[in-house]
Amino acid sequence: MKIILVIFACLLLLLSSCSPAAVKGKYYSKSHTVPVPLTHKKTNLHFFMHDIISGNNPSSVLVAAPKGVVVQEGNVGPFGAVYVFDDLLTVGPDLNSEVIGTGRGFYASVSRQVPAEWTLLFNADLEFTSGEFNGSSICLFSRDLMVIETKELSIVGGRGRFRMANGFIIANVNFFNATNGDAILEFHVTVFHQ
Ligand SMILES: *[C@@H]1O[C@H](CO)[C@@H](O)[C@H](O)[C@H]1NC(C)=O
Ligand SMILES: *[C@@H]1O[C@H](CO)[C@@H](O)[C@H](O)[C@H]1NC(C)=O
């Protein structure tokens, strides 16, 4: 009986998430109350992200800056600077350790108090390319206060195995060069998902 109930609940969830808009001529369906799972999975992940601005093959590039402000070594993150990145995720702090995914997104320098409260708005989709979570991703959207060594970033969603995810990341600065902006971040992730 319990199993049948669980299967029925799963079917309802599936139907409600896949059915097209049922109301003719409107862009939305009727809202339904659906059963939510009583339990969630919790998974911990640990990896490093390499954000390289310097050199000939950067993984992070400046795409916008405020008018009249020169962004260069020694002034890599003035208020209003925006970077797009395609960073490697590895199992260890060494860039030559096993690559397990890519972190793609953009961050913007969002505090007027640089450097005292130097803050990024960090927007990324971290997709894994190996192991059990190959093809799945976690999506983060968070403030990142640059002046502290250990910070918390929020996970607001995910794809694949991490669909409907939420959670948090405790991020340690493993390496940071404030002159050229190169950084290696260590991520301790706690993710709750279906
Ligand atoms: C990850 O998934 C892709 C696409 O399905 C596949 O081509 C690749 O071989 C997989 N990699 C690993 C390491 O499992
Ligand atoms: C930091 O970057 C500057 C400018 O590129 C460079 O001269 C210096 O060696 C770097 N320091 C470290 C520890 O990598």
Side-chain angles (χ1 to χ4, degrees), residues 104 122-128 136-142 153-159 162 165-167 169 191:
R104 293 178 176 164
F122 196 167
N123 184 345
D125 181 309
L126 312 184
E127 182 178 291
F128 303 100
S136 297
S137 80
I138 53 174
C139 299
L140 67 106
F141 185 84
S142 197
L153 308 172
S154 62
I155 296 172
V156 296
R159 296 183 290 107
F162 295 126
N166 55 44
I169 298 173
V191 57

Side-chain angles (χ1 to χ4, degrees), residues 17-128:
S17 58
C18 301
S19 60
V23 185
K24 197 174 186 308
K26 292 201 176 142
Y27 66 93
Y28 50 86
S29 74
K30 194 170 182 303
S31 300
H32 293 283
T33 302
V34 295
V36 294
L38 292 176
T39 59
H40 278 139
K41 287 182 185 135
K42 176 182 152 187
T43 302
N44 290 110
L45 310 167
H46 177 238
F47 54 86
F48 293 80
M49 182 168 133
H50 302 261
D51 194 60
I52 311 300
I53 294 174
S54 70
N56 296 327
N57 190 23
S59 67
S60 183
V61 294
L62 181 77
V63 294
K67 205 173 172 185
V69 174
V70 179
V71 180
Q72 59 186 9
E73 282 197 359
N75 186 34
V76 286
F79 176 49
V82 180
Y83 288 78
V84 167
F85 59 89
D86 180 0
D87 289 350
L88 289 177
L89 308 177
T90 59
V91 289
D94 187 339
L95 193 48
N96 295 316
S97 64
E98 190 193 344
V99 174
I100 49 102
T102 54
R104 293 178 176 164
F106 51 91
Y107 49 77
S109 183
V110 290
S111 168
R112 285 184 288 161
Q113 316 302 327
V114 180
E117 291 175 25
W118 189 14
T119 306
L120 302 182
L121 183 68
F122 196 167
N123 184 345
D125 181 309
L126 312 184
E127 182 178 291
F128 303 100

Side-chain angles (χ1 to χ4, degrees), residues 98-99 128-135:
E98 190 193 344
V99 174
F128 303 100
T129 50
S130 79
E132 195 176 336
F133 299 106
N134 186 11

Side-chain angles (χ1 to χ4, degrees), residues 54-55 73-74 175-182:
S54 70
E73 282 197 359
F175 171 82
F176 182 56
N177 185 329
T179 307
N180 62 20
D182 289 354

